[in-house]
Amino acid sequence: MTGCSLRSRVRRLSVFEGAEAVEAYFCGHRFSPHRHDTYTLGYTICGVQRFRYRGAERFSRPGDVFVLHPDELHDGWPGTDEGYGYRAIYLNPGLVSDALGGAPLPFLAEAVSRQPSLRTAITEAICDPAETQDSLAPVAAVAALADTLATLEGKRRSASRQIDAIKMTRIRDHLEATAVSSVGVSSLEREYGIDRYSLSRQFRACFGVSPWRFVILRRLDEAKRQILAGASLADAASISGFVDQSHMTRQFRQAFGLTPGEWRRLLT
């Protein structure tokens, strides 16, 4: 090793209320032992991340995910001269408890693993900055993180298996009819008499996607119709309920693997 190939830096990422998220790179920096009052959920991007946690030395490499529990002492330093980078979300444990219906917080004995479901949940929790705090997106993110932690711990929530299919169908029809307008989760809770996490969990069980993802896909359906009818990309985004064209483009790429402009050119 001849020295660090990275520049130490920290970039804050967009995330929902009750959490913080960062993308960080460190070279030569050593964290002294410290504690958070949050869950720390992340994955290593590059290099080797080395730390002591619960009396043992740990190593996290690219492709690994790590989970540090609230109030657990840990430190951190580069595992090689090359430095390391990671993405992490710091999640208020109260949100996890709420999402699990007040159940005890899940605990994972293994701090470092290669659980794809956990990496997916962490990645999807980092919000599109266009999403508001009362949208369905943060609810889906917290529910997915909490469910993944509970599943990996090995605990099941019997109450979550109770599905009100009739109510879910009514909510689906409501979301489909109002997808291009702003859909507030608080109003859905009031109208249908169900808490936001039960709504998100039951909806996914019935229809395979979260309510937020369902709304986004219906907006994309409308955007495609508008583009096919000759609307500009900016007008298609506005008519379909997206904040702006860039918001539509991000979601379009995530859903279809190409931008709206690329899709339009392929059809001509």
Side-chain angles (χ1 to χ4, degrees), residues 74-142:
H74 62 281
D75 53 13
W77 69 95
T80 70
D81 290 342
E82 300 296 324
Y84 65 97
Y86 63 86
R87 275 192 167 201
I89 182 168
Y90 303 92
L91 180 63
N92 185 330
L95 291 178
V96 176
S97 180
D98 288 346
L100 297 177
L105 293 174
F107 177 82
L108 304 187
E110 293 298 326
V112 180
S113 68
R114 282 186 170 260
Q115 292 289 349
S117 59
L118 185 54
R119 173 157 181 161
T120 297
I122 294 168
T123 300
E124 293 182 351
I126 299 172
C127 295
D128 188 312
E131 297 297 336
T132 66
Q133 293 302 323
D134 193 43
S135 81
L136 293 161
V139 178
V142 173

Coordinates of all heavy atoms in Angstrom, one line a residue, residues 74-142:
H74 N -19.1 1.8 20.0 CA -18.3 1.3 18.8 C -17.3 2.4 18.4 O -17.4 3.6 18.8 CB -19.2 1.0 17.6 CG -20.0 2.2 17.2 ND1 -21.2 2.6 17.8 CD2 -19.9 3.0 16.1 CE1 -21.7 3.7 17.2 NE2 -20.9 4.0 16.2
D75 N -16.4 2.1 17.6 CA -15.4 3.0 17.0 C -15.3 2.8 15.5 O -16.3 2.3 14.9 CB -14.0 2.9 17.7 CG -13.5 1.5 17.7 OD1 -14.1 0.7 16.9 OD2 -12.5 1.2 18.4
G76 N -14.2 3.2 14.9 CA -14.1 2.9 13.5 C -12.9 3.5 12.9 O -12.4 4.6 13.3
W77 N -12.3 2.7 12.0 CA -11.0 3.2 11.3 C -10.9 2.4 10.0 O -11.4 1.4 9.8 CB -9.8 3.1 12.2 CG -9.4 1.7 12.6 CD1 -8.4 1.0 11.9 CD2 -9.9 0.8 13.6 NE1 -8.2 -0.2 12.5 CE2 -9.1 -0.4 13.5 CE3 -10.9 1.0 14.6 CZ2 -9.3 -1.4 14.4 CZ3 -11.1 -0.1 15.4 CH2 -10.3 -1.3 15.3
P78 N -10.0 2.9 9.1 CA -9.8 2.2 7.8 C -9.1 0.8 8.1 O -8.2 0.8 8.9 CB -8.9 3.1 7.0 CG -9.1 4.5 7.6 CD -9.3 4.2 9.1
G79 N -9.6 -0.2 7.4 CA -9.0 -1.5 7.5 C -7.7 -1.7 6.7 O -7.0 -2.6 6.8
T80 N -7.5 -0.8 5.7 CA -6.3 -0.8 4.9 C -5.9 0.7 4.6 O -6.6 1.6 5.0 CB -6.6 -1.4 3.5 OG1 -7.4 -0.6 2.7 CG2 -7.2 -2.8 3.7
D81 N -4.7 0.8 4.0 CA -4.2 2.2 3.7 C -5.1 2.9 2.7 O -4.9 4.1 2.5 CB -2.8 2.1 3.3 CG -1.8 1.7 4.4 OD1 -2.2 1.9 5.6 OD2 -0.7 1.3 4.1
E82 N -5.9 2.1 2.0 CA -6.7 2.7 0.9 C -7.9 3.5 1.4 O -8.5 4.2 0.6 CB -7.2 1.6 0.0 CG -6.1 0.8 -0.7 CD -5.3 1.6 -1.6 OE1 -5.8 2.5 -2.3 OE2 -4.0 1.3 -1.6
G83 N -8.3 3.4 2.7 CA -9.5 4.1 3.2 C -10.7 3.3 2.9 O -10.7 2.2 2.3
Y84 N -11.9 3.9 3.2 CA -13.1 3.2 2.9 C -14.3 4.2 2.8 O -14.2 5.3 3.2 CB -13.5 2.2 4.1 CG -13.7 2.9 5.4 CD1 -15.0 3.2 5.9 CD2 -12.7 3.3 6.3 CE1 -15.3 3.8 7.1 CE2 -12.9 3.9 7.5 CZ -14.2 4.2 7.9 OH -14.5 4.8 9.1
G85 N -15.4 3.7 2.2 CA -16.6 4.5 2.0 C -17.8 3.7 2.4 O -17.8 2.5 2.2
Y86 N -18.9 4.4 2.8 CA -20.1 3.7 3.1 C -21.3 4.7 3.0 O -21.1 5.9 2.9 CB -20.1 3.2 4.5 CG -20.0 4.2 5.6 CD1 -21.1 4.9 6.2 CD2 -18.7 4.5 6.1 CE1 -20.9 5.8 7.2 CE2 -18.6 5.5 7.2 CZ -19.7 6.1 7.7 OH -19.6 7.0 8.7
R87 N -22.5 4.1 2.9 CA -23.7 4.8 3.0 C -24.4 4.3 4.2 O -24.4 3.1 4.5 CB -24.6 4.6 1.8 CG -24.3 5.6 0.6 CD -25.5 5.5 -0.4 NE -25.4 6.6 -1.4 CZ -26.4 7.0 -2.1 NH1 -27.6 6.4 -2.0 NH2 -26.2 8.0 -2.9
A88 N -25.0 5.2 5.0 CA -25.7 4.8 6.2 C -26.9 5.7 6.5 O -26.9 6.9 6.2 CB -24.7 4.8 7.4
I89 N -27.8 5.1 7.2 CA -29.0 5.8 7.7 C -29.0 5.6 9.2 O -28.8 4.5 9.7 CB -30.3 5.3 7.0 CG1 -31.5 6.1 7.5 CG2 -30.5 3.8 7.2 CD1 -32.7 5.9 6.7
Y90 N -29.3 6.7 9.9 CA -29.4 6.7 11.4 C -30.8 6.9 11.7 O -31.4 8.0 11.5 CB -28.5 7.9 12.0 CG -27.1 7.8 11.5 CD1 -26.6 8.5 10.4 CD2 -26.2 7.0 12.3 CE1 -25.3 8.4 10.0 CE2 -24.8 6.9 11.9 CZ -24.4 7.6 10.7 OH -23.1 7.5 10.3
L91 N -31.4 5.8 12.2 CA -32.9 5.7 12.3 C -33.3 5.8 13.8 O -32.9 5.0 14.6 CB -33.3 4.4 11.7 CG -34.8 4.1 11.7 CD1 -35.6 5.1 10.9 CD2 -35.0 2.7 11.1
N92 N -34.3 6.7 14.0 CA -34.9 6.8 15.4 C -35.5 5.5 15.8 O -36.4 5.0 15.0 CB -35.9 7.9 15.4 CG -36.5 8.2 16.7 OD1 -36.6 7.3 17.6 ND2 -36.9 9.4 16.9
P93 N -35.1 4.8 16.9 CA -35.7 3.5 17.2 C -37.2 3.6 17.5 O -37.9 2.6 17.4 CB -34.9 3.1 18.5 CG -34.3 4.4 19.0 CD -34.1 5.2 17.8
G94 N -37.7 4.8 17.9 CA -39.1 5.0 18.1 C -39.9 4.7 16.8 O -41.1 4.2 16.9
L95 N -39.4 5.1 15.7 CA -40.1 4.8 14.4 C -40.2 3.3 14.2 O -41.2 2.7 13.7 CB -39.4 5.4 13.2 CG -39.4 6.9 13.2 CD1 -38.6 7.5 12.0 CD2 -40.8 7.4 13.1
V96 N -39.1 2.5 14.5 CA -39.1 1.1 14.4 C -40.2 0.5 15.3 O -40.9 -0.4 14.9 CB -37.7 0.5 14.7 CG1 -37.7 -1.0 14.6 CG2 -36.7 1.1 13.7
S97 N -40.2 0.9 16.5 CA -41.2 0.4 17.5 C -42.6 0.7 17.0 O -43.5 -0.2 17.1 CB -41.0 1.1 18.9 OG -41.9 0.6 19.8
D98 N -42.9 1.9 16.5 CA -44.2 2.3 16.0 C -44.6 1.4 14.8 O -45.7 0.9 14.7 CB -44.2 3.7 15.5 CG -44.2 4.7 16.7 OD1 -44.4 4.3 17.8 OD2 -43.9 5.9 16.4
A99 N -43.6 1.1 13.9 CA -43.9 0.3 12.7 C -44.2 -1.1 13.1 O -44.9 -1.8 12.4 CB -42.7 0.4 11.8
L100 N -43.6 -1.6 14.2 CA -43.9 -2.9 14.7 C -45.0 -3.0 15.7 O -45.1 -4.0 16.4 CB -42.6 -3.5 15.2 CG -41.4 -3.7 14.2 CD1 -40.2 -4.2 14.9 CD2 -41.8 -4.6 13.1
G101 N -45.8 -2.0 15.8 CA -47.0 -2.0 16.7 C -46.6 -2.0 18.2 O -47.3 -2.6 19.0
G102 N -45.5 -1.4 18.5 CA -45.0 -1.3 19.9 C -44.3 -2.5 20.4 O -44.0 -2.6 21.6
A103 N -43.9 -3.4 19.5 CA -43.2 -4.6 19.9 C -41.8 -4.2 20.3 O -41.3 -3.2 19.9 CB -43.1 -5.6 18.7
P104 N -41.1 -5.1 21.1 CA -39.7 -4.8 21.4 C -38.8 -4.6 20.2 O -39.0 -5.2 19.2 CB -39.3 -6.0 22.2 CG -40.5 -6.6 22.8 CD -41.6 -6.3 21.7
L105 N -37.8 -3.7 20.3 CA -36.9 -3.5 19.2 C -36.2 -4.7 18.8 O -35.7 -5.5 19.6 CB -35.9 -2.4 19.5 CG -36.5 -1.0 19.8 CD1 -35.4 -0.1 20.3 CD2 -37.1 -0.4 18.5
P106 N -36.1 -5.0 17.5 CA -35.4 -6.2 17.0 C -33.9 -6.0 17.2 O -33.4 -4.9 17.1 CB -35.7 -6.3 15.5 CG -36.2 -4.9 15.2 CD -36.8 -4.3 16.4
F107 N -33.2 -7.1 17.5 CA -31.8 -7.1 17.7 C -31.1 -8.1 16.8 O -31.5 -9.3 16.8 CB -31.4 -7.4 19.2 CG -30.0 -7.4 19.5 CD1 -29.2 -6.3 19.7 CD2 -29.3 -8.7 19.5 CE1 -27.9 -6.3 19.9 CE2 -27.9 -8.7 19.7 CZ -27.2 -7.6 19.9
L108 N -30.1 -7.7 16.1 CA -29.3 -8.7 15.2 C -28.0 -8.9 15.9 O -27.2 -8.0 16.1 CB -29.2 -8.1 13.8 CG -30.4 -7.7 13.1 CD1 -30.1 -7.3 11.7 CD2 -31.4 -8.8 13.1
A109 N -27.7 -10.2 16.1 CA -26.5 -10.5 16.8 C -25.3 -10.3 15.9 O -24.2 -9.9 16.4 CB -26.5 -12.0 17.2
E110 N -25.4 -10.4 14.6 CA -24.3 -10.2 13.7 C -24.3 -8.8 13.2 O -25.3 -8.3 12.6 CB -24.4 -11.2 12.5 CG -24.3 -12.6 12.8 CD -22.9 -12.9 13.4 OE1 -21.9 -12.3 12.9 OE2 -22.8 -13.8 14.2
A111 N -23.2 -8.1 13.5 CA -23.1 -6.7 13.1 C -22.9 -6.5 11.6 O -23.3 -5.5 11.0 CB -22.0 -6.0 13.9
V112 N -22.2 -7.4 11.0 CA -21.9 -7.4 9.6 C -22.4 -8.6 8.9 O -22.3 -9.7 9.4 CB -20.4 -7.3 9.4 CG1 -20.0 -7.2 7.9 CG2 -19.8 -6.0 10.1
S113 N -23.1 -8.4 7.8 CA -23.6 -9.6 7.0 C -23.7 -9.2 5.5 O -23.3 -8.1 5.1 CB -25.0 -9.9 7.5 OG -25.9 -8.9 7.2
R114 N -24.2 -10.2 4.8 CA -24.5 -9.9 3.4 C -25.9 -10.2 3.0 O -26.3 -11.0 2.2 CB -23.6 -10.8 2.5 CG -22.1 -10.2 2.4 CD -21.3 -11.0 1.4 NE -20.0 -10.3 1.2 CZ -19.7 -9.5 0.2 NH1 -20.6 -9.4 -0.8 NH2 -18.5 -8.9 0.1
Q115 N -26.8 -9.5 3.8 CA -28.2 -9.7 3.6 C -28.8 -8.8 2.5 O -28.9 -7.6 2.7 CB -29.0 -9.4 4.9 CG -28.7 -10.4 6.0 CD -29.4 -11.8 5.8 OE1 -30.2 -11.9 4.9 NE2 -29.0 -12.8 6.5
P116 N -29.1 -9.3 1.3 CA -29.6 -8.4 0.3 C -30.9 -7.7 0.6 O -31.1 -6.6 0.2 CB -29.8 -9.4 -0.9 CG -29.9 -10.8 -0.3 CD -29.1 -10.7 0.9
S117 N -31.8 -8.3 1.4 CA -33.0 -7.7 1.8 C -32.7 -6.4 2.6 O -33.4 -5.4 2.5 CB -33.9 -8.6 2.6 OG -33.3 -9.1 3.7
L118 N -31.7 -6.5 3.5 CA -31.4 -5.3 4.3 C -30.8 -4.2 3.5 O -31.1 -3.0 3.6 CB -30.5 -5.8 5.4 CG -30.1 -4.7 6.5 CD1 -31.4 -4.1 7.1 CD2 -29.2 -5.3 7.6
R119 N -29.9 -4.6 2.6 CA -29.3 -3.5 1.7 C -30.4 -2.9 0.9 O -30.4 -1.6 0.7 CB -28.2 -4.1 0.8 CG -27.7 -3.1 -0.2 CD -26.4 -3.4 -0.8 NE -26.0 -2.3 -1.7 CZ -24.8 -2.1 -2.1 NH1 -23.8 -2.8 -1.6 NH2 -24.5 -1.1 -3.0
T120 N -31.3 -3.7 0.3 CA -32.4 -3.1 -0.4 C -33.2 -2.1 0.4 O -33.6 -1.0 0.0 CB -33.3 -4.2 -1.0 OG1 -32.6 -5.0 -1.9 CG2 -34.5 -3.6 -1.7
A121 N -33.6 -2.5 1.6 CA -34.4 -1.6 2.5 C -33.6 -0.3 2.8 O -34.2 0.7 2.9 CB -34.7 -2.4 3.8
I122 N -32.3 -0.4 3.1 CA -31.5 0.8 3.4 C -31.5 1.7 2.1 O -31.7 2.9 2.2 CB -30.1 0.4 3.8 CG1 -30.1 -0.4 5.1 CG2 -29.2 1.6 3.9 CD1 -28.8 -1.1 5.5
T123 N -31.2 1.1 1.0 CA -31.1 1.9 -0.3 C -32.4 2.6 -0.5 O -32.4 3.8 -0.9 CB -30.8 1.0 -1.4 OG1 -29.5 0.3 -1.2 CG2 -30.7 1.8 -2.7
E124 N -33.6 1.9 -0.4 CA -34.8 2.5 -0.7 C -35.3 3.5 0.4 O -36.2 4.3 0.1 CB -35.9 1.4 -0.9 CG -35.6 0.6 -2.1 CD -36.7 -0.5 -2.3 OE1 -37.5 -0.7 -1.4 OE2 -36.6 -1.2 -3.4
A125 N -34.7 3.5 1.5 CA -35.0 4.5 2.6 C -34.5 5.9 2.3 O -35.0 6.8 2.9 CB -34.6 4.0 3.9
I126 N -33.5 5.9 1.5 CA -32.9 7.3 1.2 C -33.8 7.9 0.1 O -33.9 7.5 -1.0 CB -31.5 7.1 0.6 CG1 -30.6 6.5 1.7 CG2 -30.9 8.4 0.2 CD1 -29.2 6.1 1.3
C127 N -34.5 8.9 0.6 CA -35.7 9.5 -0.2 C -35.3 10.2 -1.4 O -34.2 10.8 -1.5 CB -36.5 10.4 0.7 SG -37.2 9.7 2.2
D128 N -36.2 10.2 -2.3 CA -36.2 11.2 -3.4 C -36.5 12.5 -2.7 O -37.5 12.7 -2.0 CB -37.3 10.9 -4.4 CG -37.2 11.7 -5.7 OD1 -37.1 13.0 -5.5 OD2 -37.3 11.2 -6.8
P129 N -35.7 13.6 -3.0 CA -35.9 14.8 -2.3 C -37.2 15.5 -2.6 O -37.7 16.4 -1.9 CB -34.7 15.7 -2.7 CG -34.2 15.0 -4.0 CD -34.5 13.6 -3.8
A130 N -37.9 15.1 -3.7 CA -39.2 15.7 -4.0 C -40.3 15.1 -3.1 O -41.4 15.7 -3.1 CB -39.5 15.4 -5.5
E131 N -40.1 14.1 -2.4 CA -41.2 13.5 -1.6 C -41.4 14.3 -0.3 O -40.4 14.7 0.3 CB -40.9 12.0 -1.2 CG -40.8 11.1 -2.4 CD -42.1 11.0 -3.2 OE1 -43.2 11.3 -2.6 OE2 -42.1 10.7 -4.4
T132 N -42.6 14.5 0.1 CA -42.9 15.3 1.3 C -43.0 14.4 2.5 O -43.1 13.2 2.4 CB -44.2 16.0 1.2 OG1 -45.3 15.1 1.1 CG2 -44.2 16.9 -0.1
Q133 N -42.9 14.9 3.7 CA -42.9 14.1 4.9 C -44.3 13.4 5.1 O -44.4 12.4 5.8 CB -42.6 15.0 6.1 CG -41.2 15.5 6.1 CD -40.1 14.4 6.1 OE1 -40.3 13.3 6.7 NE2 -39.1 14.6 5.3
D134 N -45.4 14.0 4.6 CA -46.7 13.4 4.7 C -47.0 12.4 3.6 O -48.1 12.0 3.5 CB -47.8 14.5 4.9 CG -49.1 13.9 5.4 OD1 -49.0 13.0 6.3 OD2 -50.1 14.2 4.9
S135 N -46.1 12.2 2.7 CA -46.3 11.3 1.6 C -46.2 9.8 2.1 O -45.8 9.6 3.2 CB -45.4 11.5 0.4 OG -44.1 10.9 0.7
L136 N -46.6 8.9 1.2 CA -46.5 7.5 1.5 C -45.1 7.0 1.5 O -44.8 5.9 2.0 CB -47.4 6.7 0.5 CG -48.9 7.0 0.6 CD1 -49.5 6.6 -0.7 CD2 -49.5 6.3 1.8
A137 N -44.1 7.7 0.9 CA -42.8 7.2 0.8 C -42.1 6.9 2.1 O -41.5 5.8 2.3 CB -41.9 8.2 -0.1
P138 N -42.1 7.9 3.1 CA -41.4 7.6 4.4 C -42.0 6.4 5.1 O -41.3 5.6 5.8 CB -41.6 8.9 5.2 CG -41.8 9.9 4.1 CD -42.5 9.2 3.0
V139 N -43.3 6.2 5.0 CA -44.0 5.1 5.7 C -43.5 3.8 5.1 O -43.2 2.9 5.8 CB -45.5 5.2 5.5 CG1 -46.2 4.1 6.2 CG2 -46.0 6.6 6.1
A140 N -43.5 3.7 3.8 CA -43.0 2.5 3.2 C -41.5 2.2 3.6 O -41.2 1.0 3.8 CB -43.1 2.6 1.6
A141 N -40.7 3.2 3.7 CA -39.3 3.0 4.0 C -39.2 2.5 5.4 O -38.4 1.6 5.7 CB -38.5 4.4 3.8
V142 N -39.8 3.1 6.4 CA -39.7 2.7 7.8 C -40.3 1.3 7.9 O -39.7 0.5 8.6 CB -40.4 3.7 8.7 CG1 -40.5 3.2 10.1 CG2 -39.7 5.1 8.7

